[in-house]
Amino acid sequence: MLHRMDIQELNELMLQCKQMINLKGGLGRVFQVGQSVTIDKPRFIGMTGKIEKVNQKKCKVWIDGSTWNVPHSMLIAA
């Protein structure tokens, strides 16, 4: 069925799919390089870092001269 659609119809379908994903809770947390974050752990209370690299499950976060590999679930956008 998709191979019979023209480009405009496919673009409309893609937009509808993206809207449905957002309505259902999105694709999870989205982080970007350079974004300021805090880490949800007692050791890092009050510290803010910057994301250096975003991987599939973890981000490399620069905090006070050190780079930490932190799971997405422990990051909070600052």
Side-chain angles (χ1 to χ4, degrees):
M1 183 172 147
L2 292 176
H3 65 281
R4 294 183 185 164
M5 295 176 142
D6 62 19
I7 297 295
Q8 183 179 358
E9 292 172 326
L10 289 170
N11 284 332
E12 289 174 14
L13 178 63
M14 183 175 64
L15 179 62
Q16 290 174 357
C17 288
K18 287 180 180 180
Q19 289 173 345
M20 187 57 64
I21 288 171
N22 288 335
L23 286 174
K24 299 256 182 189
L27 295 173
R29 299 177 182 189
V30 178
F31 296 104
Q32 297 177 347
V33 173
Q35 182 179 0
S36 293
V37 293
T38 56
I39 299 174
D40 189 21
K41 274 293 193 192
R43 179 177 180 178
F44 296 98
I45 287 179
M47 293 183 167
T48 301
K50 287 208 180 250
I51 295 178
E52 292 184 332
K53 183 178 179 184
V54 178
N55 293 318
Q56 193 170 17
K57 295 185 179 191
K58 297 182 178 183
C59 289
K60 291 192 179 215
V61 181
W62 184 85
I63 297 177
D64 292 337
S66 297
T67 302
W68 298 86
N69 206 18
V70 184
H72 289 193
S73 62
M74 292 173 59
L75 293 175
I76 300 170

